[in-house]
Amino acid sequence: MKLYSETKKAEFKKAGKFMYGLAERLYPICRSITGNGVRQTLTILSEFIPLNITEIQTGTKVLDWEIPDEWNIKDAWIKNARNEKIVDFNKLNLHVLNYSIPVEKKVNLNELKKHLYTIPEYPDWVPYRTSYYQRQWGFCMPHSQMERLPEGEYEVKIDSTLGPGSLTYGEVFIPGKTEKEVLFSCHICHPSLCNDNLSGIVLAVKLAELIKSMNLHYSYRFLFIPGTIGSITWLSRNEDKLHNIKYGLVLTLLGDSTPFLYKKSRQENAGIDKIAEYILSKREGTKILDFSPYGYDERQFCSPGFNLPAGRLTRTPHEEFPEYHTSADNLDFISSSNLEESLELILEFITIIEYNKTYINLQPKGEPQLGKRGLYNQAGGHMEQKSVRMALLWILNLSDGSHSLLDIAVKSGIEFGVIVKAAGKLINAKLIIEKASSNINF
Amino acid sequence: MKLYSETKKAEFKKAGKFMYGLAERLYPICRSITGNGVRQTLTILSEFIPLNITEIQTGTKVLDWEIPDEWNIKDAWIKNARNEKIVDFNKLNLHVLNYSIPVEKKVNLNELKKHLYTIPEYPDWVPYRTSYYQRQWGFCMPHSQMERLPEGEYEVKIDSTLGPGSLTYGEVFIPGKTEKEVLFSCHICHPSLCNDNLSGIVLAVKLAELIKSMNLHYSYRFLFIPGTIGSITWLSRNEDKLHNIKYGLVLTLLGDSTPFLYKKSRQENAGIDKIAEYILSKREGTKILDFSPYGYDERQFCSPGFNLPAGRLTRTPHEEFPEYHTSADNLDFISSSNLEESLELILEFITIIEYNKTYINLQPKGEPQLGKRGLYNQAGGHMEQKSVRMALLWILNLSDGSHSLLDIAVKSGIEFGVIVKAAGKLINAKLIIEKASSNINF
Amino acid sequence: MKLYSETKKAEFKKAGKFMYGLAERLYPICRSITGNGVRQTLTILSEFIPLNITEIQTGTKVLDWEIPDEWNIKDAWIKNARNEKIVDFNKLNLHVLNYSIPVEKKVNLNELKKHLYTIPEYPDWVPYRTSYYQRQWGFCMPHSQMERLPEGEYEVKIDSTLGPGSLTYGEVFIPGKTEKEVLFSCHICHPSLCNDNLSGIVLAVKLAELIKSMNLHYSYRFLFIPGTIGSITWLSRNEDKLHNIKYGLVLTLLGDSTPFLYKKSRQENAGIDKIAEYILSKREGTKILDFSPYGYDERQFCSPGFNLPAGRLTRTPHEEFPEYHTSADNLDFISSSNLEESLELILEFITIIEYNKTYINLQPKGEPQLGKRGLYNQAGGHMEQKSVRMALLWILNLSDGSHSLLDIAVKSGIEFGVIVKAAGKLINAKLIIEKASSNINF
């Protein structure tokens, strides 16, 4: 089996550049929870991965929700009294309140201000605002610009449509040797925002592309969905498959430079949580958060009726960096090398997922004689090869059906990779067998 | 439902004054585990609350014990050689060893000293001593006075009786909507001691008076009983009702000024323990102690054969303040405002007891759409109303039948009051129902 | 019952001297996992304790292993070109690689060095090395000596035999009132090493001698076995008895002067683990280690198929003191007083094992009236005899069938000895009975 450890450094570098380049292509598109921006995005992703695109019709009931009208937008601007465009959707799509109803009229400054969104604390940045379920129109602009607006008449135009159509999402399924699945999910509903949205998308694309050719044990599923309504839609249409999901990870905010942060699943001690704790404990400055019912689509995956073993991987969490949901979350805020490092980390998750099996010691009474099987350094008494020898002993001692290789790595303090290699030797020596394939009750 | 939160500050002040005034009335009475002092005390309490008074005859078997002879006392003194009363029961009832047999004789100093109790460390205070089950006579006096006693003849008289009669206790039962009970217990067997004994009594009276008019969910029971023999007597006669007790609290030492201390029930994780931990965690300097089989009547309630969910609430614990069981535990040692603060705290317990229900999310798959029910701030993306919104999400996420509202408050870090209000909104929106009234198995 | 507490200080001193003297006698013998050195050792031990000696024939299958050829050695040396013995087995038996095949030939320096073992870090010490299962010959010598060896021809001779014979081990079984057993095990396979090997042997001899005359509740078994192959052999022949073992302790490295260290059993919360935690918590500088599948014969006792409640008691653990497995682990490295202190500590284990019963409170509803049984200080209110009174209350409160006396000592913070005495009073008063002899389900 070829996995992460054999991937060369140069390939990672290349992957980082690819992901950043893809983010650059996707950045200008005006995405939302429905509409052509999402379709355009998925079409680009299809160049690299075998994406199944699903369209769900406006008005369809999905769990407690309903697919809303589709939103599309061609143009939007504010003109001042001298007919100059002072705000232009074509320059930055964040300028329009996402899901704005169409509007075309003249308003005085007072009236205009009721429809303006700014960030007083960061007067040069444009905020990102949405109004999916309450029909209104609005513009977002720098606070400093708003403060300088003179009295007078303004012309506003939003050339948008809201009407029948569909919600669009993409899905990649890579079958493995078992039906049991690993789920990766990212949201695709944000317009020109990089860390939030694009970093998760480009990582998921690269991961899907890599895994496609890896011939793995688990099946892997990647969801490219609008936040909230998208996960609710997907869940409502796939309830019968959810029992297959053994590990889940929501990917977002993975392009900035802070250390990794993992938010636990609602189960709090699921396999994915244990793996995250192990991997992050090896890296300085990382953090583990308990589950909370807020954030990204883990809210839906971990609702009590589904309670999937799904955590969330980010770097700086949302609402803890000022650039969050502003024009400052742009292509300068993420980097190729950060994306590369995130990819490497997620491949560590996959490595452990793939190798973390539970074995049964077939010679559980006393230690088996390792020496006669060539597994023991014969000249007893000195310390060489101690780590491998210890790994053999730990695996034999704890392979009673209730400890996985990861449990053994944690308990012994020996690297997971060394444990896996030692387990391989014990399998070859017929001293352990995989629990799943045994009929042994210990 | 009207509870603590709506009670006005002025009412608390009035309640504090009432309680202190009641303590002043009760202070001079010579109480013991039996006798007229207890009856006189209960008669006064009857002015304020619907007290059922029970008399249990001398010699009655109660569990492993037997009701002892009733003790009554009219007068007691020591006279010196010049016929001057140097110790006078009528000035301070602590001067007599509680449960002294009658005596009237002349003794020399040497003989007298065998019957004197003092506190060398606090030479001006009179100790409180008892001898319920070993028949003897004695006097308590300041150590400094004893040291100055000249040689010579002394006349001692204790005009007491020990004989057939009964043990007396009082009980208030305020039925609620359910048979399930909350038990408050205080001891009424100490003579002129304020923090120990009177503070618990006056608080229980005020609480019973308040609860009487509150129309609550739980039934409330207040016991005014002699320590040890009283709780044993009550338990022996009420074994068939004990299963109804869901929360219990022994009240004493609540008039001094130190921060609150809660001693856990023997179960150590009973509902009352969780509530105490939550409430005390909000106040500086408070302490939680593990259960130990010593102290007040929690010893009996938490004996292994009953193991009731009953903790004990005090401020400074007994034996940790020098005034304990001395004449210095007098009306100056407690205050109206301390009693007021204790009342407020106990009403917080009752608030949580009453509101701490467990609910079932009726839309557990994915988040229900709060917006269409008017429960969500429609303009997504900014932070206002965050605490209420978070409370809604936490309740929905954890209302799987295994988390009470208090559990949710603790886990989310959101104030219990906010959680209760949010739960009210979800009940109105038919998104959750009380577990007790549902047939849902989650 | 006479136990440790009544043993006089002078007797301990005498015992320490006896143990050190026995170590002196055993020190020169060349032990290995088989052979006459082991037999000679066991013959000496038989002078003091009723030792059953078992011989298991070469080639016998024992679990996954096979009894190897028996090894015996008469002489061994290296002579230099001037026919001087520069290394002499008769001066120190560590000079020969343990289990060396016979050899007699002339070799040049280069060839000789391939068969030499030294310790560069401690150039004056001779290492202890073995090669039980790989047939080779070799010598161990000080590194400084090896470095000074001139070029030239050397004559080597090892007058050893490897062939049919048997593995030898000794066993003492002291029946108690119950079939339930306490197992002590020590290894007897090391040649001239004192802390490793001899300290455990002499302690086990002294313990067995003491226990023999103590008429105890438990049965006690002492194993004097070669490491690894010995415990595997014993386990393979005694599988039907293992269920009787309630406590097990591997004894070794108990002659040096560092504080005690206990390594937990694989169960990690077995009775022996709790006792060790309690005893070691009372002594400064002691340590408790989690189980690991490395070390001494606890590796075999705690293999997953047996999983016996067996821990290991040492002072400095192996591989943490430089003298380990070198000529510096000699008679100067251990002392009579260290052995004496170790004996005292192990007798504390036995005291707790013998007395740590679980009782049932026969008056579990309310506190029983201690006063009428003479168990309570009648003059209530002051603090004397508080510790005994508290012990009585703790035992009554926790004797619900799920707390042993040790559990009660730990929970109450009262000395185990005080708890035992208080339990005695309650037994006499018929307030508690031993759980084992009751039919009560609480």
Side-chain angles (χ1 to χ4, degrees):
Chain A
M1 179 187 278
K2 292 213 170 190
L3 252 193
Y4 150 74
S5 52
E6 288 111 62
T7 310
K8 285 158 215 130
K9 201 68 199 162
E11 279 177 42
F12 272 117
K13 201 156 195 117
K14 215 172 119 191
K17 286 196 172 145
F18 164 79
M19 291 187 285
Y20 190 82
L22 183 55
E24 284 178 314
R25 267 180 83 187
L26 299 171
Y27 180 69
I29 301 169
C30 183
R31 280 165 294 272
S32 184
I33 54 171
T34 62
N36 292 324
V38 173
R39 285 186 199 97
Q40 201 181 333
T41 299
L42 295 177
T43 304
I44 292 172
L45 306 190
S46 296
E47 297 173 21
F48 311 102
I49 49 174
L51 204 62
N52 285 310
I53 294 169
T54 304
E55 300 276 356
I56 310 293
Q57 216 183 324
T58 293
T60 307
K61 289 267 177 195
V62 285
L63 300 173
D64 187 55
W65 300 60
E66 192 177 299
I67 304 294
D69 277 349
E70 183 176 326
W71 183 67
N72 283 295
I73 181 164
K74 283 188 199 140
D75 199 1
W77 40 256
I78 304 173
K79 285 184 183 168
N80 63 16
R82 284 171 302 182
N83 207 31
E84 297 162 340
K85 283 192 186 169
I86 58 166
V87 161
D88 186 352
F89 168 78
N90 285 307
K91 291 198 176 141
L92 180 67
N93 57 38
L94 300 179
H95 279 311
V96 169
L97 177 71
N98 203 290
Y99 250 70
S100 262
I101 55 172
V103 68
E104 180 163 17
K105 63 172 160 179
K106 298 198 170 168
V107 291
N108 63 24
L109 180 60
N110 223 24
E111 173 69 10
L112 177 64
K113 280 191 171 172
K114 291 179 188 157
H115 296 269
L116 295 184
Y117 300 89
T118 68
I119 317 170
E121 299 87 345
Y122 295 94
D124 297 334
W125 296 353
V126 179
Y128 160 56
R129 289 287 154 80
T130 67
S131 185
Y132 301 136
Y133 298 97
Q134 199 176 32
R135 301 228 156 173
Q136 49 184 306
W137 63 268
F139 287 90
C140 302
M141 64 163 65
H143 192 70
S144 56
Q145 185 186 12
M146 186 191 73
E147 284 193 313
R148 288 191 314 265
L149 290 182
E151 293 291 338
E153 201 179 58
Y154 291 86
E155 196 184 345
V156 296
K157 173 159 184 180
I158 298 178
D159 184 5
S160 66
T161 55
L162 268 163
S166 60
L167 175 144
T168 316
Y169 66 80
E171 192 170 2
V172 175
F173 182 72
I174 303 164
K177 288 174 196 129
T178 167
E179 278 196 317
K180 290 175 192 166
E181 292 189 15
V182 181
L183 177 75
F184 289 98
S185 171
C186 61
H187 61 289
I188 53 160
C189 53
H190 287 25
S192 292
L193 294 168
C194 284
N195 202 30
D196 189 1
N197 187 45
L198 292 183
S199 69
I201 295 171
V202 301
L203 274 159
V205 168
K206 189 66 207 172
L207 277 169
E209 200 197 19
L210 285 171
I211 286 171
K212 208 173 48 185
S213 60
M214 274 181 177
N215 190 26
L216 297 179
H217 177 71
Y218 284 94
S219 297
Y220 285 78
R221 188 180 299 275
F222 293 83
L223 300 184
F224 299 86
I225 51 178
T228 306
I229 185 69
S231 51
I232 282 170
T233 301
W234 185 83
L235 285 163
S236 77
R237 296 168 50 85
N238 292 278
E239 276 200 57
D240 57 331
K241 291 183 200 137
L242 299 181
H243 66 277
N244 283 328
I245 297 172
K246 299 302 168 195
Y247 301 93
L249 208 49
V250 172
L251 302 177
T252 185
L253 308 177
L254 286 161
D256 69 296
S257 63
T258 49
F260 293 98
L261 178 142
Y262 175 76
K263 176 184 161 182
K264 288 187 184 181
S265 78
R266 185 179 183 275
Q267 299 180 22
E268 290 193 348
N269 200 22
I272 190 74
D273 301 320
K274 288 189 198 176
I275 292 172
E277 282 179 326
Y278 179 76
I279 290 176
L280 268 63
S281 72
K282 307 276 180 194
R283 308 206 173 202
E284 262 187 45
T286 57
K287 280 188 199 158
I288 305 276
L289 289 189
D290 280 341
F291 177 75
S292 68
Y294 196 64
Y296 290 88
D297 283 326
E298 70 275 13
R299 291 162 69 162
Q300 311 309 327
F301 299 135
C302 299
S303 56
F306 296 125
N307 203 21
L308 295 179
R312 189 188 77 202
L313 187 69
T314 63
R315 284 156 172 272
T316 313
H318 64 289
E319 302 191 352
E320 288 191 16
F321 60 107
E323 295 85 355
Y324 173 73
H325 277 197
T326 76
S327 56
D329 180 6
N330 57 26
L331 287 161
D332 293 336
F333 190 64
I334 64 169
S335 81
S336 166
S337 64
N338 294 338
L339 291 167
E340 180 190 327
E341 197 190 16
S342 297
L343 180 70
E344 206 166 336
L345 189 94
I346 301 166
L347 285 166
E348 276 190 49
F349 274 83
I350 295 173
T351 305
I352 297 187
I353 287 170
E354 289 288 317
Y355 284 113
N356 187 29
K357 294 178 184 166
T358 298
Y359 295 89
I360 301 278
N361 178 347
L362 297 171
Q363 296 280 2
K365 294 182 175 181
E367 286 172 16
Q369 194 178 3
L370 297 177
K372 71 182 182 191
R373 295 173 174 92
L375 294 175
Y376 207 81
N377 176 12
Q378 297 287 339
H382 53 90
M383 301 195 195
E384 69 187 34
Q385 296 186 302
K386 206 181 149 187
S387 164
V388 173
R389 187 202 292 175
M390 285 304 293
L392 296 170
L393 295 176
W394 274 106
I395 297 165
L396 287 166
N397 193 274
L398 292 180
S399 288
D400 56 6
S402 65
H403 299 88
S404 71
L405 292 188
L406 181 61
D407 294 334
I408 296 171
V410 169
K411 201 145 188 179
S412 68
I414 299 169
E415 283 287 332
F416 182 77
V418 175
I419 295 286
V420 169
K421 276 180 198 154
K425 289 176 192 236
L426 293 171
I427 294 165
N428 290 340
K430 297 196 170 48
L431 284 171
I432 61 173
I433 57 163
E434 208 187 323
K435 186 188 181 187
S437 62
S438 83
N439 293 315
I440 296 169
N441 283 311
F442 209 76
Chain B
M1 180 187 276
K2 292 212 169 191
L3 253 192
Y4 151 75
S5 53
E6 288 111 60
T7 309
K8 286 159 213 125
K9 201 70 199 161
E11 279 177 42
F12 273 116
K13 202 156 194 118
K14 216 173 120 191
K17 286 196 171 145
F18 165 79
M19 291 187 285
Y20 190 83
L22 183 54
E24 284 177 314
R25 267 180 83 187
L26 300 171
Y27 180 69
I29 301 169
C30 182
R31 281 164 294 271
S32 184
I33 54 172
T34 62
N36 292 325
V38 173
R39 282 185 201 100
Q40 200 180 336
T41 299
L42 295 177
T43 303
I44 292 171
L45 306 190
S46 295
E47 297 173 21
F48 310 103
I49 48 172
L51 203 63
N52 286 309
I53 294 169
T54 303
E55 301 276 356
I56 310 292
Q57 215 182 324
T58 293
T60 307
K61 288 269 178 194
V62 285
L63 299 174
D64 186 55
W65 301 60
E66 192 177 298
I67 304 294
D69 277 351
E70 183 176 326
W71 183 68
N72 282 295
I73 180 162
K74 284 190 197 137
D75 199 0
W77 40 257
I78 305 174
K79 285 185 182 168
N80 64 15
R82 284 170 301 181
N83 205 31
E84 299 162 339
K85 282 193 188 170
I86 58 165
V87 161
D88 185 351
F89 168 76
N90 285 307
K91 290 198 177 143
L92 181 67
N93 57 37
L94 298 180
H95 278 311
V96 170
L97 176 70
N98 203 291
Y99 250 71
S100 261
I101 55 172
V103 67
E104 181 163 16
K105 64 171 161 180
K106 296 196 170 172
V107 291
N108 62 23
L109 180 62
N110 222 24
E111 173 68 10
L112 177 64
K113 280 191 171 173
K114 291 180 189 156
H115 295 270
L116 296 183
Y117 299 89
T118 68
I119 318 169
E121 298 87 346
Y122 295 94
D124 298 333
W125 296 354
V126 179
Y128 160 56
R129 290 288 154 79
T130 67
S131 185
Y132 302 135
Y133 299 98
Q134 199 175 32
R135 301 226 156 174
Q136 49 184 308
W137 63 268
F139 287 90
C140 302
M141 64 163 63
H143 192 71
S144 56
Q145 185 187 11
M146 186 191 74
E147 285 192 312
R148 285 191 314 265
L149 290 182
E151 293 292 338
E153 201 179 60
Y154 291 85
E155 195 183 345
V156 295
K157 172 159 183 179
I158 299 179
D159 183 6
S160 66
T161 56
L162 269 165
S166 61
L167 175 143
T168 315
Y169 68 79
E171 193 170 2
V172 174
F173 182 71
I174 303 165
K177 289 174 195 128
T178 167
E179 277 196 320
K180 291 175 192 166
E181 290 188 18
V182 182
L183 176 75
F184 288 99
S185 171
C186 61
H187 62 288
I188 53 159
C189 52
H190 287 25
S192 292
L193 294 169
C194 284
N195 202 30
D196 190 0
N197 187 47
L198 292 183
S199 70
I201 295 171
V202 300
L203 274 159
V205 168
K206 188 68 206 172
L207 278 169
E209 199 198 19
L210 285 171
I211 286 171
K212 207 173 48 182
S213 60
M214 274 181 177
N215 190 25
L216 297 179
H217 178 71
Y218 285 94
S219 297
Y220 285 77
R221 188 181 299 275
F222 293 83
L223 301 183
F224 299 86
I225 50 178
T228 306
I229 185 69
S231 51
I232 281 169
T233 302
W234 185 85
L235 286 163
S236 77
R237 296 167 51 85
N238 291 278
E239 276 199 57
D240 57 331
K241 291 182 199 138
L242 299 181
H243 67 276
N244 282 328
I245 297 173
K246 298 304 168 193
Y247 301 93
L249 208 49
V250 172
L251 302 177
T252 185
L253 308 177
L254 286 161
D256 69 296
S257 63
T258 49
F260 293 98
L261 178 143
Y262 175 77
K263 175 184 162 181
K264 287 186 184 181
S265 77
R266 185 180 184 272
Q267 299 179 22
E268 290 194 348
N269 201 22
I272 190 75
D273 301 320
K274 289 190 198 176
I275 292 173
E277 281 179 326
Y278 179 75
I279 290 177
L280 268 62
S281 73
K282 306 277 179 192
R283 309 204 170 201
E284 262 186 45
T286 57
K287 281 187 199 157
I288 306 276
L289 289 188
D290 279 341
F291 177 76
S292 69
Y294 196 65
Y296 290 89
D297 282 326
E298 70 274 12
R299 291 162 68 161
Q300 312 309 328
F301 299 134
C302 298
S303 56
F306 295 125
N307 203 21
L308 296 179
R312 189 188 77 203
L313 187 69
T314 64
R315 283 157 172 272
T316 314
H318 63 288
E319 300 190 356
E320 287 191 16
F321 59 108
E323 294 85 355
Y324 173 74
H325 277 195
T326 76
S327 56
D329 181 6
N330 57 27
L331 287 160
D332 293 337
F333 191 64
I334 63 169
S335 80
S336 165
S337 63
N338 294 337
L339 291 167
E340 182 189 327
E341 198 190 15
S342 297
L343 179 70
E344 208 167 334
L345 188 94
I346 301 166
L347 284 167
E348 275 189 52
F349 274 82
I350 295 173
T351 305
I352 297 187
I353 287 170
E354 288 288 318
Y355 283 112
N356 187 29
K357 295 179 182 163
T358 298
Y359 295 89
I360 301 279
N361 179 346
L362 297 172
Q363 296 280 1
K365 293 182 176 181
E367 287 172 15
Q369 193 178 4
L370 297 177
K372 71 181 181 191
R373 295 173 175 92
L375 295 175
Y376 208 81
N377 176 10
Q378 298 288 340
H382 51 92
M383 301 194 195
E384 68 187 35
Q385 297 187 300
K386 208 181 147 187
S387 165
V388 173
R389 187 201 294 174
M390 286 304 293
L392 295 170
L393 295 176
W394 274 106
I395 296 166
L396 287 167
N397 193 275
L398 292 180
S399 289
D400 56 6
S402 65
H403 299 88
S404 70
L405 293 188
L406 180 61
D407 294 333
I408 295 172
V410 170
K411 202 147 189 178
S412 68
I414 299 169
E415 284 287 332
F416 182 76
V418 175
I419 294 285
V420 169
K421 276 180 199 154
K425 289 177 193 236
L426 293 171
I427 294 166
N428 290 339
K430 298 196 169 48
L431 285 172
I432 60 174
I433 57 164
E434 208 188 323
K435 188 189 180 187
S437 61
S438 83
N439 294 314
I440 295 168
N441 282 310
F442 210 75
Chain C
M1 179 187 277
K2 291 211 170 191
L3 252 192
Y4 151 74
S5 53
E6 288 111 61
T7 310
K8 287 160 213 125
K9 201 69 199 162
E11 279 178 39
F12 273 117
K13 202 157 195 116
K14 217 172 119 190
K17 286 195 172 146
F18 164 79
M19 292 187 285
Y20 190 82
L22 183 55
E24 284 178 314
R25 268 181 83 186
L26 299 172
Y27 181 68
I29 300 169
C30 183
R31 281 165 294 271
S32 185
I33 54 172
T34 61
N36 292 325
V38 173
R39 284 186 200 97
Q40 201 181 331
T41 298
L42 295 178
T43 303
I44 292 171
L45 305 190
S46 295
E47 298 173 20
F48 310 103
I49 49 173
L51 204 63
N52 286 309
I53 293 168
T54 303
E55 300 277 356
I56 310 292
Q57 215 182 324
T58 293
T60 307
K61 288 269 179 195
V62 286
L63 299 175
D64 187 55
W65 301 60
E66 193 177 298
I67 304 295
D69 277 350
E70 183 176 325
W71 183 67
N72 282 295
I73 181 162
K74 283 190 198 138
D75 200 2
W77 41 256
I78 304 174
K79 285 184 183 169
N80 63 14
R82 284 172 300 182
N83 206 32
E84 298 162 340
K85 282 193 188 169
I86 59 165
V87 160
D88 185 353
F89 168 78
N90 285 308
K91 289 197 177 144
L92 180 69
N93 57 37
L94 299 180
H95 278 312
V96 169
L97 177 71
N98 203 290
Y99 251 71
S100 262
I101 55 173
V103 67
E104 180 161 17
K105 64 171 159 180
K106 295 196 173 172
V107 291
N108 63 24
L109 181 61
N110 222 24
E111 173 69 10
L112 177 64
K113 280 190 171 175
K114 291 179 189 159
H115 295 269
L116 294 183
Y117 299 89
T118 68
I119 317 168
E121 298 87 345
Y122 295 93
D124 297 333
W125 296 353
V126 179
Y128 160 56
R129 290 288 155 80
T130 68
S131 185
Y132 302 135
Y133 299 98
Q134 199 176 31
R135 300 226 157 175
Q136 49 184 309
W137 63 268
F139 287 91
C140 302
M141 65 163 62
H143 192 70
S144 56
Q145 185 188 11
M146 185 190 75
E147 284 192 314
R148 288 192 311 265
L149 290 181
E151 293 290 338
E153 200 179 60
Y154 292 86
E155 194 182 348
V156 295
K157 173 160 185 179
I158 297 179
D159 183 5
S160 66
T161 57
L162 268 164
S166 61
L167 175 142
T168 315
Y169 67 80
E171 192 170 2
V172 174
F173 182 71
I174 303 164
K177 290 175 194 127
T178 167
E179 278 196 319
K180 291 175 192 166
E181 290 190 17
V182 182
L183 176 75
F184 289 98
S185 171
C186 62
H187 61 288
I188 52 158
C189 53
H190 288 25
S192 292
L193 294 169
C194 284
N195 203 29
D196 190 0
N197 187 44
L198 292 183
S199 69
I201 295 172
V202 301
L203 274 159
V205 167
K206 188 67 206 171
L207 278 170
E209 200 197 20
L210 284 171
I211 286 171
K212 208 173 48 184
S213 59
M214 274 181 177
N215 190 25
L216 297 179
H217 177 72
Y218 284 94
S219 297
Y220 284 78
R221 187 181 300 275
F222 292 83
L223 300 183
F224 299 85
I225 50 179
T228 305
I229 185 69
S231 50
I232 281 169
T233 302
W234 184 83
L235 286 163
S236 77
R237 297 167 50 85
N238 291 278
E239 276 199 57
D240 57 331
K241 291 182 200 138
L242 299 181
H243 67 277
N244 282 329
I245 297 173
K246 298 303 168 196
Y247 300 93
L249 208 49
V250 172
L251 302 177
T252 185
L253 308 177
L254 286 161
D256 70 295
S257 62
T258 49
F260 293 98
L261 178 143
Y262 175 77
K263 176 184 161 182
K264 287 186 184 182
S265 78
R266 186 180 184 273
Q267 299 179 23
E268 291 194 348
N269 201 22
I272 190 74
D273 301 319
K274 288 189 198 178
I275 292 173
E277 282 179 326
Y278 179 75
I279 290 176
L280 269 62
S281 73
K282 307 275 179 195
R283 307 205 173 202
E284 262 186 45
T286 57
K287 280 188 200 159
I288 306 277
L289 289 189
D290 279 341
F291 177 75
S292 69
Y294 195 63
Y296 290 89
D297 283 326
E298 70 274 13
R299 291 163 68 163
Q300 311 309 327
F301 299 134
C302 298
S303 57
F306 295 126
N307 202 22
L308 296 179
R312 189 188 77 203
L313 187 68
T314 63
R315 284 158 171 271
T316 314
H318 64 288
E319 300 190 355
E320 287 191 17
F321 59 107
E323 295 84 355
Y324 173 73
H325 277 196
T326 76
S327 56
D329 180 6
N330 57 26
L331 287 160
D332 293 335
F333 190 63
I334 64 169
S335 81
S336 166
S337 63
N338 294 338
L339 290 167
E340 180 189 328
E341 197 190 17
S342 296
L343 180 69
E344 206 167 336
L345 188 94
I346 300 166
L347 284 167
E348 275 189 51
F349 274 83
I350 294 173
T351 305
I352 297 187
I353 288 170
E354 288 288 319
Y355 283 113
N356 187 29
K357 295 179 183 164
T358 298
Y359 295 89
I360 301 280
N361 179 347
L362 297 172
Q363 297 279 2
K365 293 183 176 180
E367 287 171 15
Q369 193 179 4
L370 297 177
K372 70 182 183 192
R373 296 173 173 90
L375 294 174
Y376 207 81
N377 177 9
Q378 297 288 339
H382 52 91
M383 301 196 196
E384 68 186 36
Q385 296 188 300
K386 207 180 147 189
S387 166
V388 173
R389 186 201 294 174
M390 286 303 294
L392 295 170
L393 295 176
W394 274 106
I395 296 165
L396 287 167
N397 192 275
L398 292 180
S399 288
D400 56 6
S402 65
H403 299 89
S404 71
L405 293 189
L406 181 60
D407 294 333
I408 296 172
V410 169
K411 201 145 188 178
S412 69
I414 299 169
E415 284 286 334
F416 182 76
V418 175
I419 295 286
V420 169
K421 277 180 197 155
K425 290 176 192 235
L426 294 171
I427 294 165
N428 290 340
K430 297 195 168 48
L431 285 171
I432 61 173
I433 56 164
E434 209 188 322
K435 187 188 180 187
S437 61
S438 83
N439 293 317
I440 296 168
N441 281 312
F442 208 75

